[in-house]
Amino acid sequence: METFEEMDSSNVPNRTWGEIISHAFDMYKGIFLYAILALVIGAVVSMIIQPLSGLDSRSFSEEITSADGDFSSINIWAIPGMKLYSGLSGIASLLLTPLYVGIIYLANKYDFKQRLQVSDLFIGYRQNFLNIVIYSLISSVIIAISIGMCILPVLFVIPLLLLGYPILLFENATFSEALSKSFKIAKENYMVFLGASFLGLLISIAGILLCGIGIVATIPFYMVVMYSAYIAFCGRPKQLNFNN
C-alpha cells in the first residue's frame, strides 16, 4: 500500500468529535458549490435511467395512493420497469461513488489553499477507481445487513466505515486495506467516531427541514466529515498531483 507523506500539523483538528465537525464546517464552506454540482450530476444520471428502464412512474404513484397508508400490500416488483430500474440504479450508484470521493479531494485542496477546479470532482475515476467501487459495494452490503437487523445497529456500524474513502484516495489502498484500517482506527477511538458520524449525518440530512430543498446543500457535508476525521487521526496527506 502506498502511503503519502504527512505534512505540517497546522489546521489539523484535535481528536474530538466537536473539533472534527468544526473543521469540516470550515472546509465545506469553501467547496459546497462543487459538492452541490456532484449531487446535480448524480440526479441527472438518475433522470436518464428512469426512461431507459421503462419504469412506469404513474403506476407507482397510483400504488402508493391506493394503499391508503397500508404499504405492506404493495408489490413494487410488479410495477413495470421496477426490476430493471433498481438494477440500473444500483450500478449507477456504484459508478457515481468516485464522483462523491472527489468532494474529499476538493476539501483537501481547499485545506492546502489550492485553486479548485470542476475536474477535481472526477479524481476518483483516475485514482484507485476499481477499489473505490468495490469498497462502495462492500460497505453498502454491510449497511444493508445492519438496516435489515433494525435501524439502531446501522448507527453503530457506520462509524467503522468513516475513514474508508479517504484511505482509498490518499493512500491508494486496496478495498480490504481500507476496510481493515478504518475499522481498526475507529474501534480504538469509537466514541469520537460515533459522535462525529452521528452529528455529521444529522447535519447532512438537516436540509429536509427546508421542505427537502435544503438537503441538496447539506447532504455532501458527510464526505467532508470523512476528510476531517482522516487528517485528525492519520495526519494531512501530501497533495495529490494530477494534470487537469
Side-chain angles (χ1 to χ4, degrees):
M1 178 176 66
E2 178 186 353
T3 57
F4 294 91
E5 180 183 339
E6 221 177 83
M7 301 297 286
D8 65 86
S9 60
S10 60
N11 200 34
V12 173
N14 293 327
R15 295 180 176 183
T16 65
W17 61 264
E19 286 283 334
I20 290 171
I21 294 298
S22 178
H23 182 272
F25 264 122
D26 289 340
M27 296 299 101
Y28 192 63
K29 286 187 295 186
I31 69 164
F32 78 95
L33 290 177
Y34 294 91
I36 291 173
L37 176 60
L39 288 187
V40 170
I41 293 173
V44 170
V45 171
S46 296
M47 290 172 62
I48 294 173
I49 288 175
Q50 181 175 335
L52 288 176
S53 66
L55 176 64
D56 189 345
S57 56
R58 178 175 295 181
S59 296
F60 184 61
S61 298
E62 290 175 352
E63 286 276 359
I64 295 294
T65 303
S66 61
D68 195 26
D70 183 15
F71 301 121
S72 61
S73 62
I74 297 178
N75 181 10
I76 63 170
W77 303 116
I79 298 172
M82 180 58 77
K83 291 182 179 179
L84 180 57
Y85 177 76
S86 298
L88 291 176
S89 294
I91 294 172
S93 295
L94 290 176
L95 296 180
L96 283 170
T97 301
L99 179 68
Y100 304 131
V101 170
I103 297 172
I104 297 173
Y105 178 56
L106 282 162
N108 177 241
K109 288 193 71 174
Y110 183 76
D111 198 14
F112 278 88
K113 297 179 172 57
Q114 300 289 321
R115 185 168 65 92
L116 307 182
Q117 301 181 65
V118 172
S119 59
D120 293 333
L121 275 173
F122 302 95
I123 191 174
Y125 295 98
R126 293 172 285 170
Q127 169 83 356
N128 216 6
F129 168 77
L130 184 59
N131 280 296
I132 290 174
V133 171
I134 295 174
Y135 179 89
S136 176
L137 176 61
I138 293 174
S139 58
S140 296
V141 171
I142 292 172
I143 290 173
I145 292 173
S146 301
I147 292 175
M149 295 171 63
C150 191
I151 296 298
L152 189 59
V154 76
L155 297 177
F156 294 100
V157 169
I158 286 178
L160 300 174
L161 302 169
L162 189 64
L163 299 184
Y165 289 126
I167 291 170
L168 288 165
L169 177 62
F170 298 120
E171 301 181 18
N172 205 28
T174 65
F175 67 90
S176 58
E177 289 169 337
L179 277 170
S180 177
K181 184 171 181 177
S182 182
F183 267 62
K184 182 177 184 296
I185 296 174
K187 284 194 300 182
E188 293 173 351
N189 306 273
Y190 187 74
M191 294 310 296
V192 175
F193 277 72
L194 179 63
S197 296
F198 179 75
L199 190 55
L201 286 171
L202 199 62
I203 294 169
S204 294
I205 63 174
I208 294 177
L209 299 177
L210 300 176
C211 301
I213 299 174
I215 198 170
V216 176
T218 59
I219 199 168
F221 177 74
Y222 191 71
M223 302 302 293
V224 184
V225 173
M226 292 180 180
Y227 172 71
S228 297
Y230 177 80
I231 66 170
F233 287 90
C234 301
R236 294 175 75 198
K238 178 186 286 187
Q239 183 71 54
L240 298 179
N241 292 312
F242 287 90
N243 293 322
N244 293 306

